[in-house]
Amino acid sequence: MLRMIKECKGVDIADAHQTLTIGAADVETAALLKIPINSPVAVAHRTAFDAGGVMIYYSLGIYRGDFLRLEMTLK
């Protein structure tokens, strides 16, 4: 989604942030993801801001723990 926002004319992303938390599926989440209650899930909050500090994007993603892969380059 951030890639699509970058392509919009007149919209510039000055800052973006993601927080990934490991938690447990509540009743509603478990039903939606078709997993047992209290199964591990990853919760991702993503935000993007323009140069004036105005939030231009927010998302909340909840992912099954058995389908999660986190990869990053460490320097």
Side-chain angles (χ1 to χ4, degrees):
M1 190 66 189
L2 290 176
R3 192 173 300 142
M4 290 176 62
I5 293 171
K6 282 180 152 182
E7 294 174 4
C8 293
K9 292 182 181 181
V11 178
D12 292 316
I13 298 173
D15 188 33
H17 186 77
Q18 174 176 279
T19 302
L20 182 68
T21 306
I22 305 302
D26 59 19
V27 174
E28 181 181 11
T29 300
L32 291 168
L33 295 178
K34 298 182 177 152
I35 57 176
I37 297 171
N38 291 325
S39 292
V41 294
V43 180
H45 291 266
R46 296 178 186 103
T47 53
F49 299 87
D50 67 11
V54 175
M55 183 184 299
I56 56 175
Y57 176 75
Y58 174 81
S59 73
L60 168 65
I62 303 177
Y63 306 93
R64 294 171 54 126
D66 59 344
F67 279 58
L68 177 69
R69 177 180 169 176
L70 179 63
E71 185 175 328
M72 66 182 76
T73 301
L74 301 175
K75 293 184 179 186

